Amino acid sequence: MQTINRLEDLRNAVDALKIGGKTISFVPTMGALHEGHLTLVREARRAADHVVSSIFVNPRQFGPTEDLDAYPRRMAADAALLEAEGVAILWAPTVDQMYPDGYATNISVSGVSEVACGAARPGHFDGVATVVCKLFNQVRPDVALFGEKDWQQLAVIRRMARDLDLTQPHAGNIIGVETVREASGLALSSRNQYLTPAEREQAAQLSGAMRRAIAAIEGGADVTESLDTMKAEILAAGFNSVDYGDLRDAATLENLFAWDGRKARLLVAARIGAARLIDNMGVG
């Protein structure tokens, strides 16, 4: 595996991988890798001839009071994991390489960015859309893979790719991979490292509360009442607060106050201890 820190070197290495019409799949990450990331890499190996992954903790998607400085960084260990999975190139740019002196461009995706986490974290998805667009232009992949755990992020990236007519990758080649969970049902996340053992047990109850709400909604129960019950269960499990718990259209993220059978997602963000955890599940 080549570990590359300079954009010119990356472009040359990608060109070499593409010789003979070979294809590239791309898995962007912020590091602190876990089995969810490695699952993306394994799917990426099936999707193309070569896999490129990136590790970049993007400062533009963290708010002024968020955990940028505390976000776990373990480059050597992460690189070893990616190499063991057969990744061809690890792109690990510095902040100065990604945002050189005088950088002045920002991408904002209306609509899907403005609800749920977008409402709670102003500017977050502008930072996501901007860095992902830059990464796409740098790596020029045929296929890109993202975890479905952050469903809103996936929706934002797909909308950005459609609206900007991106071709590497085309919006249709931005693939969502099902959330990987612990045996308890807790969605894997780099921020799970913030949980104490007791909090981890409490956090595992989030997915159960979500599944019960989905069963009620699919069974014809009132959406608002089902979501209120779910939020009460989450708080009773030991969470400090629930930022949101919404039923939304799977594509547009329109808030659904009644379910009409369309493909939808139940999206939740809740805080426990030092961690803000997000999760989502399909409805219908």
Side-chain angles (χ1 to χ4, degrees):
M1 182 180 76
Q2 301 178 71
T3 298
I4 298 175
N5 310 109
R6 295 178 64 253
L7 182 55
E8 181 179 358
D9 295 336
L10 174 71
R11 287 174 170 154
N12 292 335
V14 167
D15 286 343
L17 289 184
K18 290 188 171 188
I19 290 173
K22 299 292 187 180
T23 55
I24 290 176
S25 55
F26 179 46
V27 179
T29 83
M30 293 208 303
L33 303 184
H34 51 65
E35 189 63 22
H37 297 107
L38 301 183
T39 297
L40 293 177
V41 171
R42 291 167 197 146
E43 291 295 323
R45 286 172 56 196
R46 287 188 275 269
D49 296 309
H50 300 290
V51 179
V52 176
S53 187
S54 64
I55 295 177
F56 179 65
V57 181
N58 178 33
R60 287 180 169 246
Q61 65 191 71
F62 288 80
T65 62
E66 294 183 337
D67 59 343
L68 173 61
D69 291 337
Y71 195 86
R73 294 164 171 84
R74 51 184 201 195
M75 181 63 73
D78 288 344
L81 290 172
L82 293 173
E83 185 167 23
E85 293 293 339
V87 170
I89 295 173
L90 168 57
W91 171 226
T94 63
V95 174
D96 289 342
Q97 186 78 197
M98 187 64 73
Y99 303 116
D101 186 47
Y103 184 89
T105 300
N106 195 50
I107 295 175
S108 182
V109 182
S110 300
V112 290
S113 287
E114 298 168 347
V115 301
C117 279
R121 304 176 68 188
H124 168 69
F125 285 115
D126 290 1
V128 170
T130 300
V131 78
V132 170
C133 189
K134 285 178 65 67
L135 288 167
F136 284 172
N137 286 334
Q138 292 163 350
V139 176
R140 295 167 287 139
D142 300 281
V143 180
L145 296 92
F146 295 84
E148 290 185 349
K149 184 179 75 70
D150 193 335
W151 186 267
Q152 186 173 12
Q153 173 180 271
L154 183 58
V156 168
I157 292 167
R158 284 172 168 160
R159 183 77 267 162
M160 179 267 294
R162 290 188 185 98
D163 289 354
L164 297 182
D165 301 320
L166 298 188
T167 58
Q168 291 185 300
H170 185 277
N173 284 338
I174 297 172
I175 299 171
V177 177
E178 186 175 353
T179 301
V180 179
R181 299 180 181 275
E182 297 180 1
S184 66
L186 179 63
L188 296 188
S189 170
S190 300
R191 288 187 170 91
N192 289 354
Q193 297 179 44
Y194 299 159
L195 300 172
T196 66
E199 289 167 350
R200 185 178 288 270
E201 289 187 16
Q202 294 169 314
Q205 298 182 56
L206 173 63
S207 61
M210 294 175 65
R211 288 190 177 95
R212 287 188 289 276
I214 290 170
I217 291 167
E218 291 180 338
D222 181 79
V223 168
T224 300
E225 291 179 4
S226 300
L227 296 180
D228 286 345
T229 298
M230 177 193 71
K231 293 172 189 176
E233 291 179 359
I234 293 169
L235 293 173
F239 280 79
N240 306 330
S241 61
V242 178
D243 281 0
Y244 61 80
D246 300 336
L247 182 68
R248 293 186 175 274
D249 182 280
T252 67
L253 299 190
E254 172 195 355
N255 207 356
L256 303 179
F257 299 100
W259 185 54
D260 56 10
R262 76 178 78 178
K263 291 291 184 182
R265 304 295 293 195
L266 174 58
L267 286 81
V268 176
R271 299 176 186 270
I272 183 168
R276 180 182 185 271
L277 303 182
I278 61 171
D279 203 345
N280 75 90
M281 296 179 185
V283 180

